[in-house]
Amino acid sequence: MADLAFDPPAPCPVCKGFGFLETPDGRRVVPCACKAGEHSSARMRGARIPDRYRGCSLANFNTLHPSQAAAKALARRFIESWPVVGAGLLIVGPVGRGKTHLATAILAEIVDARQARGIFCDTTELLDRIQATFSRSEETADDVLTPFKEAEIMVLDELGARRPTEWGRDTLYALLNARYNQRRITLVTTNFMDEGDRAGAETLESRIGVPLRSRLAEMCQYVPLDGPDFRREVKQGRAFA
Ligand SMILES: Nc1ncnc2c1ncn2[C@@H]1O[C@H](COP(=O)(O)OP(=O)(O)OP(=O)(O)O)[C@@H](O)[C@H]1O
Ligand SMILES: [Mg+2]
Ligand SMILES: [Zn+2]
């Protein structure tokens, strides 16, 4: 009996699975459109967008607050201008305002439709992965960092979420500086603002250090996001429909 799990997918009916087509005059072969789709989904897998954010787009980014409307308009222009964008974005705001949603929506659009090599990076996870290479040796810190240094566009999510150690700050500085030197575009999200939102609140600079904040100023346009906390006020969890 055929093992369904291992049945190969049906070949493309247009090119019969060859991946190429002859032009009508028969003089050249050109890639079939099904190949473009394959490449797009391979690029999307390579972007490692977390499951929860896979459906995020600008179309489903609501604008409940003027800052969200401004950020969405900016994101549209950013995508339209790609790859001619001079700087990335530093998306700043309290929890649940849609920072990660907006950043992953831009990343997905640019990777899928604009054929860029892009990658999502959770700051805490990255530092943990690099640290793990110090005790296990199959993978070096460079192995971990290379895809993030080389992606044409990267989302660096939750910068400053964990109070970085000096080593963590240096590592993140080196990563962002390498991207800066290669003119690669970075979209950063963080909960920390330049002016603390409450008296005594920590600022972005005190959280990530002066050199990194200064590098980010050159690399990214500041995009504040506010409004209601989407998780608590708009999208209450429901276990059942
Ligand atoms: N403006 C919005 N329109 C539609 N959905 C939104 C919007 N803002 C947030 N959401 C949804 O609410 C949830 C939380 O948003 P998101 O994770 O982007 O917030 P965040 O600002 O990154 O929060 P945190 O600081 O905790 O990381 C997600 O499921 C997201 O899709
Ligand atoms: Mg987030
Ligand atoms: Zn085909």
Side-chain angles (χ1 to χ4, degrees), residues 52-53 56 60-64 68 93-102 104 157-158 189-191 225 228-231 235:
R52 179 178 286 281
Y53 293 97
C56 289
N60 61 24
F61 184 78
N62 299 329
T63 51
L64 307 172
Q68 291 173 328
V95 295
R97 264 59 175 189
K99 298 180 298 296
T100 305
H101 181 128
L102 190 67
T104 50
D157 198 38
E158 300 256 3
T189 81
T190 181
N191 288 140
L225 266 192
D229 176 348
F230 224 88
R231 292 198 193 97
K235 213 172 133 169

Side-chain angles (χ1 to χ4, degrees), residues 149 173-186 215 218-219:
K149 281 185 177 166
Y173 184 86
L175 168 61
L176 288 174
N177 197 48
R179 296 184 56 76
Y180 175 79
N181 289 336
Q182 300 296 322
R183 296 180 188 277
R184 305 218 197 277
I185 295 295
T186 307
R215 188 49 95 226
E218 293 172 84
M219 294 177 73

Side-chain angles (χ1 to χ4, degrees), residues 120-180:
F120 179 94
C121 177
D122 178 273
T123 308
T124 305
E125 217 177 278
L126 175 74
L127 293 176
D128 284 348
R129 266 185 71 196
I130 296 172
Q131 210 151 28
T133 65
F134 300 156
S135 45
R136 286 186 291 102
S137 55
E138 314 91 76
E139 201 177 39
T140 67
D142 269 343
D143 293 338
V144 174
L145 275 166
T146 298
F148 298 106
K149 281 185 177 166
E150 294 187 346
E152 291 167 86
I153 179 166
M154 174 176 90
V155 169
L156 185 62
D157 198 38
E158 300 256 3
L159 180 62
R162 187 195 287 163
R163 173 177 294 286
T165 60
E166 195 156 313
W167 166 82
R169 287 179 175 186
D170 290 350
T171 305
L172 292 172
Y173 184 86
L175 168 61
L176 288 174
N177 197 48
R179 296 184 56 76
Y180 175 79

